[in-house]
Every structure is written in C-alpha cells, then in structure tokens.
Amino acid sequence: MSTIGDIQAVLDQWAPPETAESYDNVGILIGDPFIEVKRCLVSLDVTQAVCDEAAGWGAELILSHHPAIFDPMKRISSKSTVYQLIQAGVSVLSAHTNLDKAESGVNQILVDRLGVKSAVPVGDTDDCLLMGTLENMMTASQLAQAVKERLNIPALRLYDAGFPIETVAVCCGAGGSFLMDAVNAGADAMITGDVKHNIVVDAADYGLTLIDAGHFETEHHIVDKLVEYLAPLFPDVEFARAQSCKPLFQIV
C-alpha cells in the first residue's frame, strides 16, 4: 500500500523542498501523508477541468507542478477549485520551483529539448537560469523557428536584436526577471515565457534577442517525466498524465 507520504518522500529526493524559492508553496497542499493512493493524476496546473478528470477517474491524488494553493487564502468559495477538490476527496501534492531547478528537472528538460549544449547555472540566479551554446550559430529568426519545432508550438513572441546567436540563456516559465543576469553573463539570446513589456524594452536597450515561448509551453514536458520517474517506483499506483492539462490561451 502506497501513501501520499511515500510518493512525497521519493519526489523530495529528486526535488528537495528546501530548495524551493522563499515565496513558493510546495508539498502536500490538500490532504495528509497517510492517505492511500491507487491512482495519481499528474498535471502542470490544478484547474477545475483537472479536478473533474481526477474525480471522474477515481484518483486519490493530483501531483502538480504549479501549486493548487499559492497565495494565502482568506476564504474558500464553493465555486473554487480548492473547495471542489476537498468535496471530491482528491488530495494535491505540488513540486514547483524546487522541481524547476532540480537535476533533470523542468529547466534541464527545456534546455535539452532546445538543443542548448553544456548549459550551466548563471551567477546568483539560484539555478533558475541556465546558459549554454547552440550547436551552430543562428539568426534570431532561425532560433525562433527551431524553438517552435522543438517545443511543438504554433507561435511565439520574438524580439530580434539583429546579432548572430551562439550563447543562449534559458529559464522555464516566467523568467523575465533574470534578463539582466543573462545580459551580464554574455548571452546572445534568452528563451523564457510570460515576458512583460518592460522586459522586452530592456532587451532592446541591451541588444539581447528575446524569445517568449509561453509559460505552459516551456514547462509541461515535466508531466511526462514525472509519470516516467514515479511509475516504476510505485507499481501498485496507476499514474497518468491529465488529458485536460492543456494551454488555456488559444492562438487566433
């Protein structure tokens, strides 16, 4: 019999919770360690659709990357996903920034998919920003096309600084706050998601090509990795990727 605590212990070995950023909220966010798990649905986000899928499948646990509870909650509406999860008896275990920076975690998976070689952590970014080199020098438009193909996405946002690109800084999710770290480290380009307007203005000022490939699009590959990692270790638990784990924005 495997419990949420058992799964958490194995997950914590891969992505120690003490490495999470101070603002983060990771671990068992709904439920307790002693609950038995026979089915675990794995998802990037905990949306109402994911909640419904878990309940319909009979899962006792959702393992998510993004925390189901992030900011402190002063009240819980009956329409909220947290309320619905509790009503359905579905627990939530989350690994967020600790999994971003873990060995073979979200950031490393992104770097590998993008074909960035010999990537190492940059400066004081606490392993949140990795930088390496491309196998061949590219233009900004060539790099953008390669990112679209490697991440299997229909579109992205590109600021082309107009210089050849060889050295690339990468941060999964919303990494715009690390732009100056990329500049100071000598990157020719930065790939991340959720870029605000002031960040692209800074990129233009400092001559850094910037690619916003999307938050979901740069992180969701960790879901399959979690299933692949945990399933052999818990043969009595059925792990599955949430089919409702999809990007919410549409390209129109």
Side-chain angles (χ1 to χ4, degrees):
M1 179 185 75
S2 295
T3 65
I4 295 176
D6 296 329
I7 295 172
Q8 180 187 29
V10 169
L11 187 61
D12 286 354
Q13 290 178 354
W14 179 13
E18 61 269 19
T19 65
E21 295 295 293
S22 58
Y23 59 79
D24 208 356
N25 190 29
V26 301
I28 301 173
L29 305 185
I30 298 175
D32 65 64
F34 309 106
I35 295 173
E36 182 180 358
V37 180
K38 295 181 179 178
R39 287 181 171 176
C40 175
L41 193 67
V42 186
S43 180
L44 190 74
D45 300 302
V46 185
T47 62
Q48 185 62 58
V50 171
C51 170
D52 292 343
E53 182 179 350
W57 185 45
E60 297 85 8
L61 176 66
I62 293 173
L63 171 57
S64 71
H65 178 49
H66 293 141
I69 302 171
F70 190 68
D71 296 317
M73 303 180 72
K74 294 184 178 181
R75 59 184 59 84
I76 301 176
S77 165
S78 61
K79 296 181 180 179
S80 71
T81 300
V82 170
Y83 182 95
Q84 296 300 324
L85 286 163
I86 295 171
Q87 286 289 96
V90 179
S91 299
V92 177
L93 169 63
S94 301
H96 190 208
T97 53
N98 51 324
L99 188 56
D100 283 337
K101 62 183 77 171
E103 183 177 353
S104 300
V106 187
N107 232 5
Q108 188 60 55
I109 290 173
L110 178 59
V111 163
D112 292 343
R113 291 188 72 92
L114 294 173
V116 177
K117 308 297 183 184
S118 304
V120 295
V122 174
D124 297 324
T125 63
D126 197 19
D127 295 348
C128 291
L129 184 70
L130 302 180
M131 190 169 77
T133 58
L134 300 174
E135 189 169 346
N136 299 298
M137 190 170 288
M138 295 182 178
T139 65
S141 59
Q142 288 172 333
L143 178 59
Q145 184 60 36
V147 171
K148 287 169 59 178
E149 292 174 357
R150 288 174 177 268
L151 298 186
N152 191 28
I153 56 178
L156 49 71
R157 297 197 297 171
L158 166 68
Y159 168 71
D160 182 352
F163 303 106
I165 298 165
E166 183 177 21
T167 304
V168 179
V170 178
C171 181
C172 61
S177 61
F178 297 115
L179 182 126
M180 288 310 302
D181 296 283
V183 169
N184 293 332
D188 301 316
M190 180 177 177
I191 302 171
T192 186
D194 272 355
V195 173
K196 295 182 179 180
H197 181 70
N198 66 295
I199 300 299
V200 72
V201 170
D202 289 341
D205 286 345
Y206 287 94
L208 179 76
T209 289
L210 183 60
I211 291 177
D212 180 344
H215 197 128
F216 181 96
E217 291 78 5
T218 59
E219 292 194 332
H220 75 97
H221 303 284
I222 192 62
V223 176
D224 292 328
K225 181 71 174 182
L226 284 165
V227 173
E228 175 187 316
Y229 177 73
L230 292 170
L233 300 176
F234 296 96
D236 59 331
V237 179
E238 189 175 354
F239 292 88
R241 178 184 177 121
Q243 296 304 301
S244 53
C245 176
K246 298 177 181 179
L248 298 175
F249 273 126
Q250 297 179 10
I251 305 298
V252 297

